[in-house]
Amino acid sequence: MADETRPTIGFIGLGIMGRPMSRNLLRAGYPLVVYDLIPEAVEAIVREGARPGTSSADVASRSQVVITMLPDSPDVEKAYLGPQGVLEGARPGTVLVDMSTISPTVAVRVAQAAAEKGCPMLDAPVSGGDVGAQRGTLSIMVGGDPQVFVQVEPIFSAMGKAVHCGESGAGQVVKACNQVLVAVTLVGMAEALVLGTKAGVDPEKIVQVLSGGLARCGVLENRGMRVVGRDFAPGFRIRLHYKDLNIIREAGRAYGVPLPASALAHELFGAAMAAGRGELDHSGIVTVIEDLAGVEVKKK
Ligand code: NAD
């Protein structure tokens, strides 16, 4: 039941992540106005108590806080700056929060356009996947005015745990750092398991032993045994991680930071895309190394 003393939240982008996140806001008692390009996505959350919007501008005009959860940078630019976009409808003082994973430089540009309309904007990408979105346990990395962060924190806490990382764009920078580490670690794990397997060792033993030493990490713990069991159901799709590697390399160029390991991971993820494996979980990157080595990682 919505608590009308709470700010009305506009939620735009009701996909794999946005739908469970908006559901958690409803459960926490926030009145919600929602919009997605796909009418069925809107209808599904309206059945759970939200009100439907007719465009991003319409949602923004009816809300005190607007949250977006969209695929990529061009989608966010379109939803905020385009015709019938958020900035057309938002009144000065409306707080805007983009939780999509996009380019840090695009995040800063959109926030500047929002500031010119008198709307403070935070970038607040997330880590934790669809399961974290459903459980309300996302890790939320936030860039922007710290006072606005404090204002929005109770809303974030309905979806997960938020940390203020710095000024506008800093949330997206930290998310890019996260995705660098995960992509490069996935490639490292793939090489280790392919090498060990082709040399005749049971890869299950490799995962077990490495999990107790310095190589211990979330990637090995969450995905190691799934690779050995050849379970590549997503999780986080190769296609989305490839998009994030595009963002990472663009950020590297924008800030003057060479990222050689990310560049290699980008090419390997590109090879997986070219082989038609974009819908596999990102741990499926091992299949590209397997093709090079002519061996398949599986339990002995
Ligand atoms: P998704 O493709 O399932 O959902 C995106 C939704 O946005 C779709 O329903 C689409 O119709 C809608 N949309 C696109 N453009 C729109 C517009 N202009 N106006 C209104 N609606 C629009 O994607 P997702 O998996 O929910 O991911 C969303 C973001 O979260 C991405 O940036 C992704 O990288 C990031 N992310 C995803 C995961 C994950 O595990 N899926 C984890 C962490 C971060």
Side-chain angles (χ1 to χ4, degrees):
M1 182 71 188
D3 173 353
E4 299 297 333
T5 60
R6 292 190 173 208
T8 296
I9 300 175
F11 205 108
I12 302 167
L14 304 164
I16 291 180
M17 298 295 286
R19 183 168 172 194
M21 289 161 72
S22 56
R23 181 183 291 136
N24 282 333
L25 292 171
L26 274 178
R27 284 185 186 146
Y30 289 99
L32 218 61
V33 187
V34 297
Y35 178 65
D36 193 289
L37 295 178
I38 302 169
E40 295 76 35
V42 174
E43 283 155 22
I45 193 80
V46 164
R47 277 196 296 276
E48 297 181 37
R51 281 169 281 175
T54 54
S55 67
S56 295
D58 174 51
V59 165
S61 71
R62 296 160 62 189
S63 309
Q64 277 99 49
V65 177
V66 176
I67 297 177
T68 45
M69 194 53 170
L70 303 167
D72 200 356
S73 306
D75 308 301
V76 170
E77 285 185 298
K78 201 166 149 208
Y80 280 87
L81 311 177
Q84 289 293 298
V86 170
L87 294 192
E88 257 186 40
R91 289 157 297 188
T94 304
V95 175
L96 311 178
V97 185
D98 179 40
M99 301 189 76
S100 331
T101 303
I102 65 163
S103 149
T105 52
V106 173
V108 171
R109 199 162 62 236
V110 175
Q112 278 165 352
E116 281 162 23
K117 268 221 79 176
C119 298
M121 182 161 181
L122 302 174
D123 47 292
V126 306
S127 173
D130 55 333
V131 175
Q134 285 155 23
R135 293 186 181 154
T137 58
L138 291 169
S139 178
I140 308 171
M141 310 151 219
V142 187
D145 184 334
Q147 286 179 339
V148 179
F149 171 75
V150 170
Q151 206 183 323
V152 179
E153 210 175 3
I155 296 175
F156 285 140
S157 69
M159 298 179 281
K161 169 100 186 73
V163 174
H164 185 254
C165 299
E167 60 193 23
S168 180
Q172 295 295 353
V173 169
V174 175
K175 174 69 184 180
C177 297
N178 183 77
Q179 296 303 77
V180 167
L181 206 53
V182 175
V184 171
T185 308
L186 280 166
V187 172
M189 180 175 79
E191 289 191 0
L193 293 178
V194 169
L195 172 64
T197 303
K198 196 158 185 191
V201 181
D202 185 346
E204 193 170 15
K205 296 265 184 266
I206 300 174
V207 174
Q208 264 170 17
V209 175
L210 267 49
S211 298
L214 186 59
R216 181 180 71 241
C217 64
V219 166
L220 195 60
E221 279 160 25
N222 286 328
R223 296 297 203 267
M225 285 306 182
R226 280 174 60 179
V227 168
V228 174
R230 306 211 67 73
D231 173 9
F232 300 125
F236 190 68
R237 290 182 168 81
I238 283 178
R239 172 170 57 78
L240 281 178
H241 214 139
Y242 183 65
K243 172 209 66 152
D244 290 352
L245 283 157
N246 272 322
I247 292 170
I248 288 159
R249 297 195 66 197
E250 189 202 306
R253 283 191 290 274
Y255 295 109
V257 181
L259 299 168
S262 299
L264 176 62
H266 191 205
E267 288 300 320
L268 292 167
F269 275 77
M273 295 282 291
R277 299 172 194 163
E279 300 307 311
L280 296 187
D281 182 70
H282 52 173
S283 58
I285 198 63
V286 72
T287 60
V288 175
I289 310 293
E290 288 173 339
D291 289 351
L292 294 173
V295 72
E296 196 170 88
V297 172
K298 60 172 181 265
K299 198 172 144 33
K300 266 195 163 177

